[in-house]
Amino acid sequence: MKNKVVIITGASRGIGEAAARELAAQGAEVVLAARSLAKIEAIAKDISSTGAIAMAVACDVSDYESVENLVSQTVVEYGKIDALVNNAGLIDPIAKLSETDAEIWAKTINVNLVGAYNCIRAVINNLNENAAIINLSSGAAFSALEGWSAYCASKAGLAMLTKSIGLEYPQISAYGFAPGLVDTPMQGQIRQSGINPVSQIPQEKLSSTEEVAKAIAWLCTIDAQVYNGQEIDVRDEEFRKKVGI
Ligand code: NJP
């Protein structure tokens, strides 16, 4: 990963934070993006204190101008972009469809699907050779779960967006990556809801963000190109062997 420039959205906590830390530890120059500027600045400072290169840019992925600013700041600072990790995501509203708030429902689509599109649209003409786009997918893209209609619909749409990039831009590697059940604040929110079997999974059964971060870092390398255009699940044994987790 030495000197590869990687943008990670949703880097203020959970999987995004862990991916930024892992990529930086492997030598990448990381750009942390999220709405909470103070949090990503603190993480970037911590990463920089290890001798790695990190920058924080406040960004709301659902706002195209904000995403354009993220990309232009990255290009000004580092001169290129080698990978985009589309990780920013929301799960609300967790409720049966008739009990959902229309604005909150639309917001999740606007972050999980339109937000990913915005980031891809803004980087696509700025990507370096052998670039990679990693879209954080989910089992929920392919199986409906009670109370998660916005989340499932957004991730299903994202899976088709991944395929579309694979078709239209074969020179770029695009992956849908399902991280499994990972111990993050989003899973805390799910447990609190008490809706559907995922909310019943005890915290100690969830996997660590560090393991998933290793898989994301691997997907940024040329070795991952065998999976171009595909949906990958971290629980796939063959994949785990390749990553070394
Ligand atoms: O989520 P969480 P995870 N613009 O809630 C950011 C998928 N996944 O780490 O803006 C920019 O802890 C937010 O930052 P902030 C999941 O669907 C997970 O669990 O400061 N950023 C924060 O950094 C998601 O796509 C599991 O509030 C925005 C981050 O997003 C990804 O993995 C299972 C934003 C969310 O942190 C990371 O999930 C699975 C915006 N508008 C898929 N809105 C799992 N955890 O088990 C939010 O299958 N963010």
Side-chain angles (χ1 to χ4, degrees), residues 9-16 33-37 39 59-62 86-90 107 111-112 136-140 151 155 177-187 189-190 206 209 235:
T9 69
S12 63
R13 58 177 188 257
I15 294 169
R35 292 165 303 175
S36 318
L37 181 61
K39 280 193 194 167
C59 175
D60 179 344
V61 295
S62 66
N86 262 326
N87 166 80
L90 298 174
K107 190 171 177 192
V111 172
N112 296 7
L136 266 285
S137 186
S138 172
Y151 187 75
K155 293 294 182 181
F177 173 64
L181 298 162
V182 193
D183 190 10
T184 67
M186 185 183 278
Q187 282 291 343
Q189 201 185 335
I190 291 167
L206 303 173
T209 53
R235 290 159 286 202

Side-chain angles (χ1 to χ4, degrees), residues 38-121:
K39 280 193 194 167
I40 49 174
E41 276 182 342
I43 299 164
K45 197 169 161 203
D46 196 34
I47 291 173
S48 303
S49 73
T50 67
I53 297 174
M55 171 171 96
V57 181
C59 175
D60 179 344
V61 295
S62 66
D63 172 357
Y64 192 70
E65 263 183 42
S66 177
V67 172
E68 273 191 317
N69 173 57
L70 164 68
V71 172
S72 61
Q73 279 208 44
T74 303
V75 172
V76 166
E77 192 67 26
Y78 299 132
K80 60 169 187 154
I81 301 168
D82 296 290
L84 164 68
V85 183
N86 262 326
N87 166 80
L90 298 174
I91 190 138
D92 340 64
I94 304 182
K96 277 202 172 171
L97 195 139
S98 58
E99 288 152 24
T100 54
D101 177 288
E103 254 178 51
I104 298 175
W105 202 97
K107 190 171 177 192
T108 285
I109 302 290
N110 273 332
V111 172
N112 296 7
L113 178 56
V114 182
Y117 158 81
N118 286 341
C119 294
I120 296 162
R121 175 69 185 86

Side-chain angles (χ1 to χ4, degrees), residues 198-229:
V198 182
S199 71
Q200 305 304 316
I201 299 169
Q203 188 172 5
E204 56 274 18
K205 290 260 157 91
L206 303 173
S207 53
S208 76
T209 53
E210 286 78 12
E211 180 185 280
V212 167
K214 284 199 174 76
I216 292 173
W218 185 81
L219 286 169
C220 294
T221 69
I222 301 178
D223 294 346
Q225 285 180 351
V226 286
Y227 290 105
N228 191 7

